[in-house]
């Protein structure tokens, strides 16, 4: 039998323990306590959506609360990003985004414009994938490899057209890397997104474009586009015959990565719980299968591994934006 004084002491001890641990730890025990809102800062479709939809399904099962995907496009993903980082730092808002996270900031720096957010407001959660960009050309362009393209471009400076998702975007900056490394001059045809940029190449309005494997794979397999090279450090598994630019003498590297972020300032205990949920979701077989069906290779990284990758990629791309200059 437990006497009442003993029960009273037990209750007091429990209260004291929570007081020592603090309210953040107590709240984290029940995290999440409401819907986990997943923000995609782009229109429906594309790489972010490919990751967000299966993630939503799994997080809902693991967390016991809805995990809706909300598209908040605008200002080259800056609008949706600013929305997330300005929400209460309680871990219930997750941003799914690409290198546009910092490309938008670097573009604003170039023009002396105040960005709607800073990287100091952003908490890294996890990297989900990091596919290399693939350069593709219209099949009627009379070249079969990178060296032939460079030779043709040098014989016709400023004549060959490359289409991109828009100035300073994730398909523009890698192509400018190529232009600088190969010492050639192309003409830029900016569009409103990765899909429209590929459409321009398919229609012959541009001769060159780039995109992630998920975007160009079907067109390359069907012969509607020809792949010349990849910005990765090794061949892409689904396109093993496409050589890297590094293997062709061009020291360039760029990725269409997708990562998860939230607002800075989430209590450490809650952040740990959120990262645990994300880790379990990213390692779920159904999530990996969803990415693989879209020709995306899962590449989960967190903590120091993600931070190291992020910093290296940021440094590369920021230098490219600065090199492009105002246009």
């Amino acid at each position: 039998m437990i006497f009442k004084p003993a029960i009273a002491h037990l209750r007091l001890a429990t209260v004291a323990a929570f007081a020592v641990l603090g309210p953040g730890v107590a709240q984290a025990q029940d995290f999440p306590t409401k819907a986990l809102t997943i923000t995609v800062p782009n229109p429906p479709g594309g790489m972010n959506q490919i990751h967000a939809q299966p993630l939503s399904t799994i997080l809902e099962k693991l967390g016991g609360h809805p995990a809706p995907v909300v598209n908040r496009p605008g200002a080259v993903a800056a609008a949706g990003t600013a929305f997330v980082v300005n929400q209460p730092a309680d871990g219930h808002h997750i941003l799914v985004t690409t290198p546009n996270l910092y490309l938008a900031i670097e573009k604003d720096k170039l023009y002396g414009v105040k960005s709607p957010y800073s990287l100091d407001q952003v908490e890294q959660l996890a990297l989900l994938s990091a596919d290399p960009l693939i350069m593709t050309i219209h099949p009627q362009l009379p070249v079969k490899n990178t060296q032939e393209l460079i030779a043709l471009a040098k014989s016709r400076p400023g004549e060959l057209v490359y289409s991109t998702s828009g100035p300073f975007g994730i398909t523009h900056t890698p192509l400018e890397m190529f232009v600088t490394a190969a010492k050639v001059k192309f003409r830029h045809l900016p569009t409103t997104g990765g899909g429209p940029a590929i459409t321009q190449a398919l229609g012959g309005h541009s001769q060159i474009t780039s995109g992630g494997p998920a975007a160009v794979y079907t067109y390359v397999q069907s012969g509607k586009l020809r792949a010349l090279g990849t910005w990765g450090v090794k061949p892409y598994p689904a396109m093993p015959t496409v050589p890297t630019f590094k293997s062709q003498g061009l020291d360039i590297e760029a990725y269409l990565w997708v990562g998860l972020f939230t607002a800075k300032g989430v209590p450490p205990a809650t952040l740990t719980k959120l990262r645990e949920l994300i880790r379990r979701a990213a390692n779920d077989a159904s999530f990996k299968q969803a990415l693989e069906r879209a020709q995306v290779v899962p590449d989960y990284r967190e903590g120091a591994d993600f931070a190291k990758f992020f910093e290296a990629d940021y440094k590369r791309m920021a230098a490219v934006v600065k090199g492009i200059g105002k246009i």
Side-chain angles (χ1 to χ4, degrees):
M1 178 180 293
I2 301 178
F3 295 102
K4 289 184 179 179
I7 295 174
H9 282 303
L10 181 61
R11 288 173 178 166
L12 285 171
T14 303
V15 171
F18 275 105
V20 171
L21 292 173
V25 175
Q27 292 167 6
Q29 304 304 312
D30 299 321
F31 181 85
T33 59
K34 58 183 179 180
L36 288 169
T37 302
I38 301 171
T39 295
V40 171
N42 312 95
M47 281 291 281
N48 287 332
Q49 205 81 23
I50 287 171
H51 293 68
Q53 291 301 157
L55 183 70
S56 167
T57 301
I58 300 166
L59 284 179
E60 185 168 328
K61 292 178 182 177
L62 295 176
H65 289 273
V69 176
V70 179
N71 294 86
R72 293 182 179 275
V76 195
T81 302
F83 172 81
V84 172
V85 301
N86 285 295
Q87 294 304 299
D90 60 7
H92 289 89
H93 284 270
I94 300 171
L95 174 71
V96 184
T97 195
T98 64
N100 282 328
L101 175 68
Y102 52 66
L103 287 174
I105 290 176
E106 291 304 309
K107 176 185 176 182
D108 287 344
K109 283 183 186 177
L110 194 64
Y111 287 91
V113 175
K114 181 176 173 57
S115 297
Y117 64 91
S118 71
L119 290 182
D120 291 338
Q121 295 176 275
V122 180
E123 182 73 56
Q124 296 177 11
L125 294 175
L127 180 74
L128 298 179
S129 68
D131 288 343
L133 275 294
I134 308 290
M135 177 189 280
T136 59
I137 63 170
H138 191 279
Q140 291 185 359
L141 195 66
V143 299
K144 294 181 180 178
N145 56 53
T146 299
Q147 294 307 318
E148 288 183 5
L149 175 64
I150 292 172
L152 181 63
K154 287 184 175 180
S155 70
R156 296 165 54 185
E159 290 185 28
L160 299 183
V161 178
Y162 71 93
S163 53
T164 76
S165 57
F168 308 102
I170 188 53
T171 64
H172 179 210
T173 43
L175 281 165
E176 283 295 332
M177 278 184 179
F178 179 90
V179 166
T180 300
K183 297 181 174 61
V184 296
K185 185 177 181 180
F186 293 151
R187 187 152 52 90
H188 185 200
L189 173 60
T191 70
T192 57
I198 291 172
T199 299
Q200 293 298 313
L202 290 169
H205 304 292
S206 70
Q207 292 81 46
I208 306 157
T209 192
S210 70
V216 303
Y217 178 81
T218 301
Y219 300 117
V220 171
Q221 292 299 105
S222 66
K224 293 180 179 179
L225 292 174
R226 183 185 303 147
L228 282 196
T230 165
W231 276 266
V233 295
K234 58 185 178 181
Y236 190 72
M239 306 170 77
T241 61
V242 180
T244 66
F245 286 124
K246 285 182 178 290
S247 71
Q248 300 179 79
L250 300 176
D251 189 18
I252 52 178
E253 186 177 348
Y255 300 91
L256 178 52
W257 55 260
V258 175
L260 303 180
F261 304 83
T262 192
K264 201 82 167 182
V266 176
T270 300
L271 198 56
T272 297
K273 192 72 179 289
L274 175 58
R275 285 177 169 147
E276 180 186 333
L277 282 175
I278 290 170
R279 186 184 308 116
R280 290 171 62 193
N283 284 294
D284 189 283
S286 64
F287 180 76
K288 292 180 178 181
Q289 289 164 5
L291 297 193
E292 290 164 354
R293 281 195 297 270
Q295 299 302 326
V296 175
V297 175
D299 187 3
Y300 181 81
R301 306 185 208 184
E302 60 178 307
D305 287 342
F306 183 22
K308 181 180 178 181
F309 173 87
F310 185 93
E311 289 302 319
D313 196 65
Y314 184 12
K315 183 178 180 180
R316 277 193 299 268
M317 303 309 273
V320 176
V321 172
K322 185 176 181 180
I324 294 171
K326 295 181 180 180
I327 55 177

